[in-house]
Amino acid sequence: MNIRTIATRPFSDQKPGTSGLRKKVPAFQQPHYLENFVQSIFDSVSAPKGSTLVLGGDGRYYNRTAIQIILKMAAANGFGQVLVGRGGILSTPAASCVIRKYQAFGGIILSASHNPGGPDGDFGIKFNGSNGGPATEAVTDTIFAKSKALSSYRILEAADVPLDSLCETTLGDMQVKVIDPVSDYADLMESLFDFAAIRSLLQGSFKIKFDAMHAVNGPYAREILERRLGAASGSVMNAVPLEDFGGGHPDPNLTYAHDLVEIMYGADAPDFGAASDGDGDRNMILGKRFFVTPSDSLALLAANATLVRGYAGGLAGVARSMPTSAAVDRVAHALDIPCFETPTGWKFFGNLMDAGKVTLCGEESFGTGSSHVREKDGLWAVLFWLNILAVRKQSVEIIVREHWARFGRNFYSRYDYEGLPTEAANGVMQHLRDSFATLAGTAFGRYSIQTCDDFSYTDPVDGSISKGQGVRILFGDGSRIIFRLSGTGTEGATLRVYLEAFEADVSRHPLDAQEALKELIGIALHVSELQTRTGREQPTVIT
Ligand code: G16
């Protein structure tokens, strides 16, 4: 066995963002770049000798190369076994499921999620702990600190490992076990949902369309929706994963999932449509000519959870990221269960779920999940919806409208300004912070500002504090405008503006969200000076 210690120099830009380290592929292809980060992970988490690691990614360009490097580094760093998905593939929720099921020490997930892939696209890497969830901020801070001081890494000199069939091989003293990436996950889904009820729904006149966006969930959706649940063949579209996602942007929203949106808004539209992203953790839910906002989706799943087998005993509590609308808060109030507001990023939900405080959680960014794993889970959300539809036997639109009638409607929209010069974006944020004192108490038409702050979160389980998590402008009637800089982009800065207005009056519920939020959008642009400071008249994407 030939373990080599390679001298290296630290890179200064390996600070993990909202969800791991994400960079352009050429950045990862620099000599030692990936290796440095992987060694920083191993040095930070100090796995006992002989530990089991789970490894897989969303199959994007560079996945295979990275997998081989990480396997050889794991062998050189004392791991006893690596479970790797066939072809180097594991969706993010499936990786979480496998870590938990086989009680692994942790896992390395390779993905840049919804960001485009290919030789000039994005790549990413993150570490998940033994609970199956993304490393906490304390761990990612340690990884960053190690990466800034690294002087060498360890790697085994060996031939590449075969990954394309289920097999076991040896790499130095380490076992590499290639596992079926789909079956453990599909079995977990079958244990949570009433597959018989969903099967009879799908074998009647009810039609569905699932857009896998040429990303990792294609094989998962085919196995679960078409094979196990009997949806018509072809119900899963863009089902073959491609290294560059077919040139598309694998982000399930109304802009990027346009193939699906055309079908769902076209003549003879199916009854239910859904899409997931590059690594399978995000979801978008559509009814016939009807879009469900992710914030409403979370609220609705919470309100209907006891109809679903895996959640029939009720929910311990719910959690949402701060910018996510307060629709789920209203459900929690009605159910008399706790509702937690966390910073953006799934890693903040882990402690709450581990402590049994929360069963369902979600983010406005098309992420919904539960304590069945420690990642958001795209197909899980689709199955949850299908289970509710199978029980309630109403259309998606009627179920959502009934929900609004009962709880009120939280009109919601997010404006993304992508690729801004970093200085201009920071300038907008600083200007807002400088305006807190003058803004509080100011009235704009029917809206009057109650308070402004920079969101800070104290984790109720471990007491850790996360500051600077987004500027909040809170209005007297519960409406909100949030400004936040993205922590996942790879080019310049992305400024996100989140807008929310509550409406109890049912007669106003049919309004278009952009129409209902017009006044708030005007206030957001005015107080932030966004257009003059960035030179951008229009957002890049509205969701
Ligand atoms: C964005 C979203 C967050 C989400 C994060 C990671 O972060 O706004 O809600 O947690 O992506 O999601 P994924 O793993 O699907 O990329 P940011 O910092 O860009 O706003």
Side-chain angles (χ1 to χ4, degrees):
M1 190 168 75
N2 188 9
I3 293 176
R4 295 182 59 202
T5 300
I6 310 281
T8 186
R9 277 209 224 123
F11 292 88
S12 58
D13 66 344
Q14 297 197 323
K15 184 174 170 49
T18 312
S19 183
L21 183 69
R22 291 190 188 164
K23 300 278 175 201
K24 294 270 169 223
V25 167
F28 275 102
Q29 288 171 325
Q30 297 172 81
H32 310 312
Y33 194 87
L34 174 71
E35 292 86 342
N36 273 22
F37 191 72
V38 172
Q39 190 65 52
S40 305
I41 293 176
F42 290 156
D43 289 351
S44 302
V45 300
S46 309
K49 202 170 165 38
S51 295
T52 296
L53 185 74
V54 171
L55 180 62
D58 62 12
R60 67 179 58 224
Y61 185 83
Y62 202 58
N63 193 62
R64 282 180 170 266
T65 311
I67 295 262
Q68 295 290 350
I69 292 171
I70 297 167
L71 283 172
K72 291 168 197 171
M73 289 187 68
N77 278 274
F79 282 91
Q81 182 182 223
V82 176
L83 304 178
V84 55
R86 186 178 46 227
I89 300 289
L90 279 173
S91 77
T92 294
S96 185
C97 158
V98 170
I99 293 170
R100 293 169 68 79
K101 181 166 179 178
Y102 298 103
Q103 296 173 345
F105 173 78
I108 290 183
I109 301 178
L110 304 173
S111 170
S113 190
H114 52 288
N115 294 5
D120 300 315
D122 288 359
F123 190 74
I125 171 168
K126 68 175 180 179
F127 179 77
N128 282 29
S130 60
N131 69 348
T136 59
E137 272 203 330
V139 175
T140 56
D141 287 349
T142 310
I143 294 171
F144 182 44
K146 299 262 185 209
S147 77
K148 287 188 290 189
L150 199 78
S151 59
S152 66
Y153 61 84
R154 287 185 298 286
I155 188 161
L156 184 79
E157 214 172 47
D160 282 358
V161 175
L163 293 176
D164 290 320
S165 58
L166 304 184
C167 61
E168 285 184 41
T169 42
T170 307
L171 204 50
D173 290 338
M174 189 182 85
Q175 286 291 115
V176 178
K177 187 170 178 190
V178 180
I179 59 168
D180 178 342
V182 176
S183 57
D184 292 314
Y185 176 82
D187 292 349
L188 176 61
M189 293 302 110
E190 203 154 353
S191 74
L192 294 171
F193 300 108
D194 186 345
F195 271 34
I198 301 175
R199 199 177 300 117
S200 56
L201 175 77
L202 297 184
Q203 284 171 353
S205 59
F206 192 90
K207 295 283 166 278
I208 66 168
K209 203 67 164 173
F210 179 88
D211 188 352
M213 302 189 84
H214 288 302
V216 75
N217 255 351
Y220 292 83
R222 275 209 167 138
E223 168 65 20
I224 295 172
L225 298 174
E226 294 187 4
R227 280 191 210 104
R228 296 198 187 190
L229 289 169
S233 153
S235 296
V236 182
M237 61 192 275
N238 298 325
V240 178
L242 299 172
E243 282 197 329
D244 65 349
F245 309 111
H249 196 137
D251 198 358
N253 60 42
L254 293 175
T255 305
Y256 294 129
H258 43 80
D259 289 358
L260 175 71
V261 172
E262 268 170 37
I263 293 171
M264 294 306 297
Y265 282 79
D268 209 17
D271 303 280
F272 178 82
S276 61
D277 70 335
D279 60 333
D281 58 359
R282 295 185 173 202
N283 75 90
M284 173 171 71
I285 302 293
L286 297 166
K288 212 186 265 273
R289 290 181 278 282
F290 191 83
F291 167 63
V292 186
T293 70
S295 297
D296 279 344
S297 178
L298 172 64
L300 204 133
L301 299 191
N304 291 276
T306 51
L307 300 179
V308 173
R309 186 170 68 215
Y311 305 88
L315 307 174
V318 291
R320 63 166 171 84
S321 66
M322 180 274 283
T324 303
S325 98
V328 74
D329 303 34
R330 296 175 184 283
V331 175
H333 183 73
L335 296 176
D336 198 21
I337 55 171
C339 177
F340 297 86
E341 183 178 38
T342 61
T344 296
W346 210 259
K347 60 190 169 203
F348 294 101
F349 295 131
N351 276 350
L352 296 171
M353 291 195 276
D354 288 350
K357 290 179 181 294
V358 154
T359 313
L360 290 193
C361 45
E363 299 192 280
E364 51 63 43
S365 53
F366 297 83
T368 337
S370 88
S371 51
H372 67 290
V373 290
R374 293 292 182 277
E375 288 280 1
K376 52 186 179 270
D377 191 343
L379 260 175
W380 167 89
V382 170
L383 293 167
F384 207 127
W385 264 96
L386 288 174
N387 202 148
I388 291 171
L389 289 162
V391 174
R392 288 189 52 172
K393 303 189 190 336
Q394 293 165 299
S395 72
V396 171
E397 178 170 351
I398 287 177
I399 289 176
V400 174
R401 290 200 187 284
E402 282 190 10
H403 183 91
W404 291 339
R406 179 169 169 212
F407 294 99
R409 177 171 180 188
N410 289 67
F411 283 105
Y412 191 83
S413 187
R414 183 177 104 181
Y415 283 33
D416 289 344
Y417 297 81
E418 295 175 359
L420 296 176
T422 307
E423 246 174 60
N426 287 338
V428 172
M429 296 301 285
Q430 194 50 48
H431 167 68
L432 285 162
R433 288 191 198 98
D434 294 342
S435 312
F436 284 171
T438 47
L439 284 177
T442 312
F444 297 90
R446 65 191 175 105
Y447 290 104
S448 95
I449 299 179
Q450 200 171 48
T451 48
C452 310
D453 65 7
D454 207 345
F455 182 62
S456 166
Y457 175 69
T458 304
D459 186 302
V461 180
D462 65 15
S464 59
I465 297 173
S466 303
K467 293 186 177 161
Q469 297 293 329
V471 162
R472 303 194 294 182
I473 300 182
L474 307 173
F475 296 85
D477 68 347
S479 300
R480 305 188 305 162
I481 302 173
I482 317 288
F483 294 86
R484 215 189 125 256
L485 290 177
S486 156
T488 57
T490 56
E491 256 173 346
T494 294
L495 182 62
R496 306 200 195 283
V497 186
Y498 310 80
L499 305 137
E500 175 182 4
F502 178 68
E503 182 59 73
D505 179 357
V506 180
S507 73
R508 288 176 56 83
H509 286 173
L511 268 186
D512 173 64
Q514 297 306 319
E515 189 57 33
L517 292 166
K518 215 152 98 192
E519 237 178 297
L520 274 186
I521 293 163
I523 299 170
L525 294 176
H526 174 73
V527 301
S528 63
E529 300 179 358
L530 189 151
Q531 289 172 326
T532 45
R533 286 175 178 272
T534 64
R536 283 287 174 84
E537 288 298 317
Q538 298 298 332
T540 325
V541 182
I542 298 179
T543 51

